Every structure is written in C-alpha cells, then in structure tokens.
Amino acid sequence: MSKYTIWIDFGTKSGRAVLVDISNGEIIATAVHPYANGVIDEVLPGTEIRLPPDWALQDPNDYLEVVKRTIPAILRESGVAPGDVIGVGIDFTACTMLPTTADGTPLCFLPEWRANPHAWVKLWKHHAAQPEANKLNEIARQMNQPWLDRYGGKISSEWFFPKAWQILDEAPEVYEAADRLIEAADWIVWQLTGVETRNNCTAGYKAIWSKREGFPPDVFFKALDPRMEHIVDEKMRREISFLGERAGGLTSEAARWTGLKPGTAVAVANVDAHVSVPAATVTEPGRMVIIMGTSNCHMVLSKEEHHVPGICGYVEDGIIPGYFGYEAGQSCVGDHFAWFVENCVPAVYAAEAEAKGLTLHQLLEAKAARQKPGEHGLVALDWWNGNRSVLVDVDLTGLLIGQTLATKPEDIYRALIEATAYGTRLIIENFESHGVAIKEIVATGGLPNRNKLLMQIYADVTGREVKIAATNQAGALGSAMFGAVAAGRAAGGYDTIEEASAAMARLREEAYAPIPEHSAVYDRLYQEYVILHDYFGRGANDVMKRLKRLRAEVFGGGVEHA
Amino acid sequence: MSKYTIWIDFGTKSGRAVLVDISNGEIIATAVHPYANGVIDEVLPGTEIRLPPDWALQDPNDYLEVVKRTIPAILRESGVAPGDVIGVGIDFTACTMLPTTADGTPLCFLPEWRANPHAWVKLWKHHAAQPEANKLNEIARQMNQPWLDRYGGKISSEWFFPKAWQILDEAPEVYEAADRLIEAADWIVWQLTGVETRNNCTAGYKAIWSKREGFPPDVFFKALDPRMEHIVDEKMRREISFLGERAGGLTSEAARWTGLKPGTAVAVANVDAHVSVPAATVTEPGRMVIIMGTSNCHMVLSKEEHHVPGICGYVEDGIIPGYFGYEAGQSCVGDHFAWFVENCVPAVYAAEAEAKGLTLHQLLEAKAARQKPGEHGLVALDWWNGNRSVLVDVDLTGLLIGQTLATKPEDIYRALIEATAYGTRLIIENFESHGVAIKEIVATGGLPNRNKLLMQIYADVTGREVKIAATNQAGALGSAMFGAVAAGRAAGGYDTIEEASAAMARLREEAYAPIPEHSAVYDRLYQEYVILHDYFGRGANDVMKRLKRLRAEVFGGGVEHA
C-alpha cells in the first residue's frame, strides 16, 4: 500500500500544498491558496499607514490560511486516507522573518502592535535594511570577522541580522517586546508541531551560522549596537536542527486544521531553492543544480570546505547532510528576457507572433535558433539587475556591444541568453579554480521547460552536458522527500535523503550535450565576455557606478520632472 | 523685375529642379523626376547580368531625363520667362563617376560596351573598390605621400581613384576604351554647355587634388599599376574650375531640352553637402554647418591650412573661395534613430502613437523630452555604421551601457541622440585643438526641422548655440546661389558667393542656446563617452573588430544556415 507525504511551498504570493506518492515521487494532488494580503508594500492592512520605498511585508495569518485550506483540499481531491500520509515537509522563501512572543504569537497579531509595520513579517525582498547591511559589513571587515569569507565577503540587506537591526533602529519598542525573532519557515513548523526549531539551511545561508563556529560572537553584535549584544540568546536560540530531521509531530490543533493525524511527522523547514537539489537527483558532488527562473541559483556540493570568493555562501550540511552546500547566483535571467520582450520588440513581431499562434518569447526563440553562434556579432554583460556572483555588486548595470544597422531583435535576444550562459560559465570556472569540481549541470525551475535554445546554449557555452529535472515542481518534490525522511523508514518513509532522492527524483530523457563546433566559437566569445566583465566589473572603468550616481543626483536635485 | 536661377539637385534616387528668386532666395517652383533605372545593384538593365555584392551603378540617361523633364515643368508651372532665368547651378552626389569617349558620350551608351557593368556610372555608394582602396592606402603610406594628411590618413573606397582602379583591374578593356573618367557632376555640366570642366570641390574632396599641389604625382599612380601612370593626363585633365565660376553657356541643344535661352550661364558643378554651407548663411570661419540627415556632415571654413587628423578632408577653395573648407562626418545619425524605431520599440508604443496621432519618432521624442540629462543612466557609442570622424574606422560597431530592468525605450532613444551629439562634440574639440575654431553651429538638412529635442541636446552637449537654416532645401538654395554668381552682376546676379548668401540665405528666428545646468551634466557624461570612445576605438580593446571577424568567419564557414 502506498505511503504519501505532503509538502507545502510558501512562495512570494501564495502557498501551495502537494500530495506525493513517496514510492516514485508521483504528484497525486495539488492545491493553491493566494495570500489575502499578498505582498504588503504600500499600505499596512487595516490602517492608513503608508510604507516607505523598499519595504515588503507579509501577514503570518496568510500562512496559516494556506495550511487550513490546502491540505483538506488535497485530501478530499485524492481520497487518500490521512493515516497513509506519513510526513509533512515545508519550504519557504528566505530570509522571511518576524518578531513573536515566547509562545510563537506574531507581534502583529496583538492589538497593541498591529499598527506598527515592524511587528509584521519582513519578506525576503524587503530591501529597506540596506543602511544596516552596509554598517554591518563595514564593522565586520574592521573586526576581521572570519565568517565574511563564507559569504563572498558581503552580507546582503535581505538577510536576517540587517532586518533584525532595522527593527531595533527604527522601532526599539518592537525589538524589546519580541521574545523571538524567527524565520517564517521555522515559525510555521512551530505552529504545526508546537516545537520551536531553527533549521540549519536558513541559519547558515541567511543568519551567519555555521556548524563549526555557530553564530558570530556577542562582541560582534555588541559592536553593531550594545542592545544587540545578546541577540542570539535573547531573541533566537543556539540549538539548530538539521535538514531531514523530524521537527516534531502535528499537534491536535494542527490535525484539526488539516484533517491529518495528530503526531504526523513534520520535517525541519527548508528553503525553496535548496530543497530543489535532491529533487533534481543531486545528492553528491560534481553535479551543479541551476534553478532557472527570474534569476539563476547555482547549487553544488563538496565534501571539503573551500573558500570560494564571490559566491552567495556555503553552509556545511546546508543542502544535503554530510556535504558543504555552495550557493551562487545571477540576478537577472528570466527577468532579462521578460524586460526585453516587454520593452524592445517591435509591433511587426507582435503581429507575426499572433499570426503564428506563438508568444513573443517563442517567436524570438524560433528566429534566434536559426542562427549560428557568433553570427549576430554581439556580446552583452548580463547585469541589468546588478551582479550577484562573482562580483557581488548591485551597482553594476547592463552592456550590449557590437550593434550595427543590420542588428535584429532576435540577435539581441540571443545575445542576452548567451550573456547569462557566460555568467554561469564564469561562476563554474570560479568554483573549479577554488577546488569545487563541476562535471555536469542539472537544470530545474521554470525556464528549462520553456526554452530549448537556452538549454543548448548553456551546454555549448559551459562545455558541460545539461540535464533536466523531470519534475516541474522541484521545490515540492524536495520538501516531500524531506518529509519522508522525517517520517523515517519505520513509518514507511526513508532513512536518508539519498534514498529518498534515488526513489523519488528523476531526470528527463532529453539532455543537451555541447556541440563541439558551437563550443569552439563560444570559447572565443566567452573570452570577450571575460575581458568586458573584468574591465567594467573590477574597477578599471567604473562608468556604470558613475552613471548610477549621476542618476541619483539628478533625481535628488529636486528639479521639476514634468 | 525679378531674376531667377534654376538649380538641379541630382540625388541618389531622383533629380529635382527648383526655380529660385535670387533677390531673396524664395523658391518659386519645384519639379522632381525619379530615375527610371534608380540604383542599379542587382541586374544590369537590359541584360541578365547579375551584379556582385557592394555594387551600385546608375544610368547617365536618367540624368539627362531629369534635365528634359523638370526644367520645362517648372517654367510652365511658374510662368517665368526663360529670359529672366540668368543661371543654372548643379549639385550632385559624389564621388559618382563614369567612363566616356572624348566627346563625352558615356561608354554604356555604346552598343559594344552596354553589357559591361564597368561602362556604367559608379554611384557614390558603390563599395566594391575596397580592395583597391586598401592597396592604394598602403602604397601611399609606404611612399610617404604628403596628401594623405589632408584626408585624415585614409582614402575611402567611395572615392575616385579606387573606382578608376577597379575598372582597370576588372575590365582593362573598358579602361582602355575610356577617353575620359569623369565625375557625373562635371559630365552633366558638359552635356549642358558642351564644355568639359572639372570642379575643384569633387577634385579636392574625392580625387586627391589640391590647389597648391595638384594631383598626386605620376610616380604614385605608376606604383599602383604601371598602366595608370598617366591617368591624369590620359583620362582626366589637370585644369580645374572653381566654385562660382561660369562653366559655359547652355548649348542650343540643351536650350531645346529645357526651354531656356541658349547661352544661359551654367555654374561649375558642386557637391550637395558642400553647397549647403552658403545656403546656411555661412561664408566665414568659426561657424560650423552640420547637415543632419541619415548621417551628419560637418563643414567649417578657415583662412589657414591646418592638418586635422581623422577628418574626411580639407580643400582650399573647396566650399567658399578664399578659404580652406574642412569636412568631417558621422556615419549614423538619422539612420540610427530609424533603426531603433524599426527594431526596438514595442507594440504598446505603436498603439499609443497611433491613438495620439503621432509618429513613433514623435512619441519617443515627447517621452524623452520629459527627462533631465543623466536621468536614464545610459551612454552609447554611436558607431552602428562605423566611425567616420575622428577614428575613420568602418569596422567599429555600436555600444550601449547602463541598462537596468527599469530602462524604457525612450531612455535608449534619448541615449542614441546624445551619443551622436557627443560624437559631434568630439569632432569639434578635435578641430579646435588643431587650430580650427568653432563658435557656433548652424544646422540644416532633414532632422533639424523634425526634432527640437535633438537640437537642444546638441546645444547642451556642445556648449554652443545651434541655429537653424531657414531653408528646408539648402542644397537647392546653394546651387541657385552659385548659378547667380556664375551669371554675374552684369546679368542681374551676384559677383561673389558672399553677396549671394547675404541676399538669399537666412536663419530661422528660433535658435537653441545651451542650458547651463544641462551642459554641466553633459560635461560629465561626455567624459564617460570619451573614455569608452578611446578604449574601444583606439586599440585598447578591439572586441568590436574581433566580433566582426568572427561573424565573417561564421558566415564564410559554409555551415548550413537554416
């Protein structure tokens, strides 16, 4: 008789529950529930309070509603008996964090704090803590904090401590009232199990924690602000739970919400990107998983610790227990193509696409696919949204070179695709030159299913075979695997994530091998990319930053903008 | 009683005659006649002969048809008595040249040569003599020919001797049979007057002639090919006529063609661009005329000879007698904006333009005009069609830097306009640093009337007032002026081009003064342009050329192009 796990994926705009047969990874039922308050970036719900620029909040009640709506729905739809559901896995956006009381009640649920924006959830893309991030990085450098190396030399404003510090800076009364500051991923597990756990994935990638060194020392936090000296002991906890562990069993209340049995195993929470790795069949070194969507997220495992400059970070046991999990990224991939299609494709192409029943993306792909590498004469730097790896510089911008009066839209479209592939190759070469081997690529996420040209170009440019994860929902499948591991073999699940991956994850039959004559041309074009990358990205000509500064000055100048 | 002159402008696709009142420059009547054979670049008329790439021929009979159709038409339309037309002026594209017999009969009119493409007119944009141009430049450098300096160090494949040499190389029998090789401008004057003249404008700018040194020495031509040693004496003539001189009077036959009086003064021929200078009120140093159309042509006068690197050339008496006339150019201006509108503006903009009754150019101008300088954060290099001045390098290509996901089409449109203005400023600074002063700009041609934003940006970027020639037809008016000077004061015309310009040319009342706060921002952006210009244009990073070579290799590789 089959056993099942449920994963719940908490995304940016909605939550989704999926019921998975753990014998083969097959998806049996799915239900989605959009957050009623969505991304809160204009007005605080129930108030007239307008939020400043760069703010992005959420309402934790929306997460609970996802649990209450979606799980009963998939049980109904599938007819699966609650007793056959042996585990629940969670993945979440991160760092998405909130202040709570000691029993886990979000401060924003309490009437006395409801009108204070700092009492709500700060979503991953809340960018208003940049001043705190800048100060934190400066102080960390001054104090020679060794952990800086693990994060490519820079902590992002999106991460945990800049967000916590912003609360203290701007709303010390909220900071004071918060017994706990916690990742939403861990908070929802707490709501389901009654047990406060802290998962090592968000702790490692977002909160400067490592298995060997723990959190930064109190003296560092004191240097940020004396009131933060004991933030870890006062507002967090030092005990960290590991991926694949059982956080606890469903409480009776959570069982009532969901229709599942009390005591059903709930896995320690995870992050959407990281959980995709075993779902893409990767539980060993040498195979890079690239999650390709609006941006690219590159994940690779290694038995050894290597200091790799310019990556997002690496965490021991952060992706798969027993390995250092390395993460790098490109800020602008799907977003890049979407920008191009929205802003740069003429009406005659729109008409042609409509006549042929294609999207503009499909039309451009079809036209660009007729070209040979090098034919359009263009090279781009894929920095429309800054550079995450390996330059770690949000102030870099885009470049396109080689245009003539004969340049067509499909030429530029192809050049933008190629630029993201060059960026990935540079990330791969950076890993390899620092000891982390990458033999092949497994692509997952939204883009690999939609654009064959993109996949072939990645293979040709990187010189590595690109395989495609069979599932369209790697985040889902990965969480289901961790749910099955949390349940354990005795309950019909698995003992290790490797076992779960072997049984539940698959690759597609189609794969993209490098075409040697293409790779030969791309080797030359990549050299051009590297020259431009280093010239504009490493300080020889900071024109991009000067243009950005000038732009800010012009906007700040207060001159009328008709 | 008013006196009139007629100018005939022989363009690339048609000829146009205009009747002008010489007392005030007013245009009384206009007639256009399209060339029946147009630009011949595919099949030789009346044959099955296919022309190779880069060829562009014309049929001299089309020029005669223009004379026969348009002049009677404007006389009819205006009711002006032939006796009141005191002179005829000609301007022509250049270098547009053909082989003829000793009496001026084009070889292509003769049955025995009609099927040979080399017997026809080679139009200015015939680019198939590039191998000859390359060899010519190499030999000239080896022989330290002093005249190379007058042409920025390079003779173009569009000019006279590369075209003549191509005839010799590929059709020695045509070269042998030709008694004369002559500019079409001079040929049409010959047809009208029976007198073979050679004007100093095309001789100077296109055929390496100067007032002081004449043509290059025979030993140079011998070095090209021994059969060319005596090309000047055998196929051309050393006597050169000057602008404003009377070439001759209309022959009886030409009088019958046109309805004008026999003996009516015909001026020495001119070039369309150069004749625009006095029509833009400029007959003195310090005021640069920019003819702004698909490309920019920059003309400025100086009493002294200055070696200015990177310009198209300078010719003593080449524009206005008594002055050295300097010419520089930008290859891609109106073409640039047209390319952008055709290839890079999305359907929603097309719909908005239609709803508002605007062209896409007008819509983009309106949106771009709302911005402050520096606001879009972009800089472009305006090399989509290579760089004419000051780098003189057709293998350079375009660049756009600074794009973000917020970049809009109007941002790029404005950046392209600005890039052409930076290019013009660089040309101006190059002139000034070599002794040729430029105090103000007079713009003429098609663009100044259509785009106020463009004019303001040129003023802001160059820091110079930009005035606009009153006439929309500066070529027409300038030719009419030279016709009036050829007739002379005794016949009711003028003795000098200065007198004619003072009477017949005017500026518009509107002028564009630099706005100091704009200029301050553009000074900074221009510095960025210069850094990029020198980095990509002067050999530090020849990526543009490498991309072009790679492109040629890919095309040449013979791999199937689906």
Side-chain angles (χ1 to χ4, degrees), chain B residues 492-509:
Chain B
Y494 299 101
D495 279 342
T496 66
I497 189 67
E498 284 88 345
E499 285 175 18
S501 176
M504 297 169 70
R506 261 184 304 286
L507 296 174
R508 295 204 183 171
E509 287 193 13

Side-chain angles (χ1 to χ4, degrees), chain A residues 199-201 241-245 268-271 317-321 482:
Chain A
N199 77 84
N200 71 316
C201 185
S241 303
F242 286 80
L243 301 178
E245 290 180 2
V268 166
N270 208 329
V271 178
D317 299 340
I319 297 172
I320 301 289
F482 280 109

Side-chain angles (χ1 to χ4, degrees), chain A residues 331-332 335-336 339 341-350 370-379 383-385 396-409 411-412 521 524-525 528 531-532 535-536 541-544 546-562, chain B residues 331-332 335-336 339 341-350 370-379 383-385 396-409 411-412 521 524-525 528 531-532 535-536 541-544 546-562:
Chain A
S331 320
C332 188
D335 271 356
H336 212 154
W339 170 83
V341 163
E342 190 175 329
N343 289 286
C344 307
V345 183
V348 290
Y349 278 57
R370 290 191 206 111
Q371 299 187 359
K372 289 180 285 188
E375 185 178 312
H376 55 50
L378 302 171
V379 170
W383 301 344
W384 266 242
N385 199 18
L396 295 173
T397 57
L399 175 139
L400 182 66
I401 194 166
Q403 300 97 314
T404 72
L405 292 175
T407 300
K408 306 300 291 175
D411 299 345
I412 301 176
V521 173
R524 292 165 63 183
L525 289 167
E528 303 296 350
I531 293 170
L532 294 167
Y535 178 71
F536 288 108
N541 184 353
D542 277 339
V543 52
M544 293 166 178
R546 290 191 296 268
L547 289 173
K548 265 205 161 177
R549 266 205 304 276
L550 176 59
R551 190 161 188 239
E553 277 179 45
V554 167
F555 274 120
V559 183
E560 184 197 13
H561 188 54
Chain B
S331 318
C332 189
D335 271 356
H336 214 153
W339 170 84
V341 162
E342 191 176 328
N343 289 286
C344 308
V345 183
V348 289
Y349 279 57
R370 290 190 206 111
Q371 300 186 359
K372 290 180 284 187
E375 184 177 314
H376 54 51
L378 303 170
V379 170
W383 301 344
W384 266 242
N385 199 18
L396 295 174
T397 57
L399 175 140
L400 182 65
I401 194 166
Q403 300 96 315
T404 72
L405 292 175
T407 300
K408 307 300 292 174
D411 299 344
I412 301 176
V521 172
R524 291 165 64 182
L525 289 166
E528 302 297 350
I531 293 169
L532 295 166
Y535 177 72
F536 288 107
N541 184 352
D542 277 339
V543 52
M544 293 167 178
R546 290 191 298 268
L547 290 173
K548 266 205 161 179
R549 266 205 305 276
L550 176 59
R551 189 163 187 237
E553 277 178 46
V554 167
F555 274 119
V559 182
E560 182 198 14
H561 186 57

Side-chain angles (χ1 to χ4, degrees), chain A residues 398-433:
Chain A
L399 175 139
L400 182 66
I401 194 166
Q403 300 97 314
T404 72
L405 292 175
T407 300
K408 306 300 291 175
E410 57 269 30
D411 299 345
I412 301 176
Y413 186 75
R414 185 173 174 123
L416 296 184
I417 290 176
E418 289 166 348
T420 70
Y422 301 144
T424 285
R425 174 165 169 178
L426 204 138
I427 287 168
I428 289 173
E429 294 191 352
N430 182 61
F431 270 122
E432 292 219 312
S433 68

